[in-house]
Amino acid sequence: MSATILLWAITFAQIMLAIAMVLALARMIKGPRAQDRVLGLDTLYVNSMLLILVFGIRTGNTLYFEVSLIIGILGFVATVALAKFLMRGEVIE
Amino acid sequence: MNHVTDLPLWVAWLVAAFLFIGAGLTLTGSFGLYRLSSFYDRIHAPTLGTSWGTAAIVLASIIYFSALQSRPVFHEILIGIFVTITTPVTFMLLGRAALYRDRSENNPEVPAMDLPKDILDKLKLADKTESVYLESGERE
Amino acid sequence: MSQLFPYPLLIICLIIMWLLLTSFSLGQVIVGTIIALIAAQGMAALQPAKPRPKRWDLLLRLTGIVLYDIARSNIAVTKIILQGNKRTRKSGFMAIPLNLRDPIGLAILAVIITSTPGTAWLGYNFAQGTLLLHIFDLVDEAVWLDLIKNRYEYLLLEIFE
């Protein structure tokens, strides 16, 4: 019984997070300006981090925790670098 | 999912509820990011996923692995702390970058770097009672 | 003593983080302590301004208030996003003069405001001492001013000044 509940909840959560990733990706492609794309990329990173965390619950393997931690760190560094670039690099599109 | 057959029922419901809340908030945040019309509106939406969205999924993971291994498992809390610390930094930088770009293009919708003297005096006088409402953003 | 352990809180946090990332055993405690001490020396070389909170009890109260406010504004923003176009919503910029000058206090205020859905910190003008915010649901600016000034800034002033 508990396995069935968990399986459904995890599948549902994974589908919702996947849709969230698609929406963030759509915003990243659509833009219209560079800051919108960077915001979309940051959201995409956070969503994929959460998706992998849920994947870890599904398989019962704690190794996925490390994967999502690395994704989180990479996303943070990438967004900070891109935001700094927007401020100091090209100013007008 | 064969490894969870001996999990108590209430643990399964609790994990399921937290997963649902977390994934739902994250989806709402991303939906808002997609749907809202101006950048300054959109910057609010993903904070749903990075505040209680992440917290709920991290809590679900902590409860699940603690119940599964019959000992407290806390390492997921690092993700929660990490996201809590880094999200404000990224969003502040992005907001400032957007403001800087808009100002350098003389976009009339964003307020100027220094407030005009008369507005500032009014703010200082009225310190605790009211503030000045500057330019409005977009209307939905 | 303070040469060897420049930032006790940082050292403790780093040891706990190391133990969470690996496993709880004596060997890991030793390795984690060595790493934390080296990292603290690196931190001391940077010479950052040391935070000096005067009221630890109020810091705890502030944490509780912020967690509650984040949960509340999560619900509010979720409602607005899901309602769609049914309700007219006005969002806008807002300038708030602050009495808080302590850099650490301002940093904490920035973290609070940015991690709460519905408010975004856009800039702080050091010369004028004003804070520029963007508010998602700016129906009544007096409510938001009251929230920032009386709920957060008041406590931060008590803690740091």
Side-chain angles (χ1 to χ4, degrees), chain A:
Chain A
M1 182 62 188
S2 55
T4 323
I5 295 168
L6 270 178
L7 187 64
W8 276 101
I10 289 169
T11 312
F12 201 58
Q14 279 180 321
I15 291 170
M16 284 204 279
L17 286 171
I19 297 170
M21 279 179 78
V22 171
L23 287 171
L25 188 70
R27 174 50 72 195
M28 205 176 108
I29 292 167
K30 209 166 134 189
R33 301 200 60 201
Q35 54 260 44
D36 294 294
R37 293 179 210 274
V38 178
L39 192 61
L41 180 72
D42 189 59
T43 315
L44 187 68
Y45 261 117
V46 172
N47 290 350
S48 62
M49 186 188 82
L50 294 179
L51 185 62
I52 286 174
L53 209 56
V54 177
F55 210 77
I57 299 181
R58 189 183 190 112
T59 53
N61 193 340
T62 48
L63 200 67
Y64 286 97
F65 155 75
E66 263 118 80
V67 178
S68 62
L69 199 62
I70 288 171
I71 288 183
I73 291 169
L74 278 179
F76 168 63
V77 174
T79 316
V80 168
L82 284 167
K84 274 313 248 190
F85 176 72
L86 290 186
M87 261 197 275
R88 296 277 173 245
E90 42 125 23
V91 174
I92 295 166
E93 278 183 324

Side-chain angles (χ1 to χ4, degrees), chain B residues 48-63:
Chain B
L48 285 178
T50 55
S51 55
W52 270 102
T54 306
I57 290 183
V58 164
L59 275 175
S61 181
I62 288 175
I63 295 167

Side-chain angles (χ1 to χ4, degrees), chain B residues 16-77:
Chain B
F18 273 124
L19 277 177
F20 182 74
I21 294 170
L25 279 173
T26 313
L27 178 59
T28 317
S30 299
F31 178 66
L33 176 77
Y34 179 72
R35 202 187 63 86
L36 292 171
S37 52
S38 85
F39 174 79
Y40 297 103
D41 277 354
R42 284 197 278 268
I43 205 165
H44 297 292
T47 31
L48 285 178
T50 55
S51 55
W52 270 102
T54 306
I57 290 183
V58 164
L59 275 175
S61 181
I62 288 175
I63 295 167
Y64 176 75
F65 282 110
S66 299
L68 196 67
Q69 300 179 4
S70 313
R71 66 183 176 87
V73 177
F74 281 122
H75 58 225
E76 285 92 345
I77 202 108

Side-chain angles (χ1 to χ4, degrees), chain C residues 2 10-11 15-16 19 36 43 47 55 62 99-100 103 108 111 120 123 128 134 138 145-146 156 158-159 161:
Chain C
S2 62
L10 176 78
I11 291 173
I15 293 173
I16 292 172
L19 291 178
M43 185 76 175
Q47 295 180 323
R55 302 277 308 271
L62 183 69
N99 299 320
L100 190 68
I108 293 178
V111 170
Q128 298 184 324
H134 187 267
L138 193 71
L145 189 75
D146 181 60
L156 284 169
E158 288 279 302
I159 292 168
E161 281 174 19

Side-chain angles (χ1 to χ4, degrees), chain C residues 112-138:
Chain C
I112 292 171
I113 288 175
T114 318
S115 50
T116 312
T119 48
W121 170 294
L122 290 180
Y124 176 72
N125 191 326
F126 270 100
Q128 298 184 324
T130 51
L131 164 68
L132 185 66
L133 294 179
H134 187 267
I135 311 267
F136 190 50
D137 189 15
L138 193 71

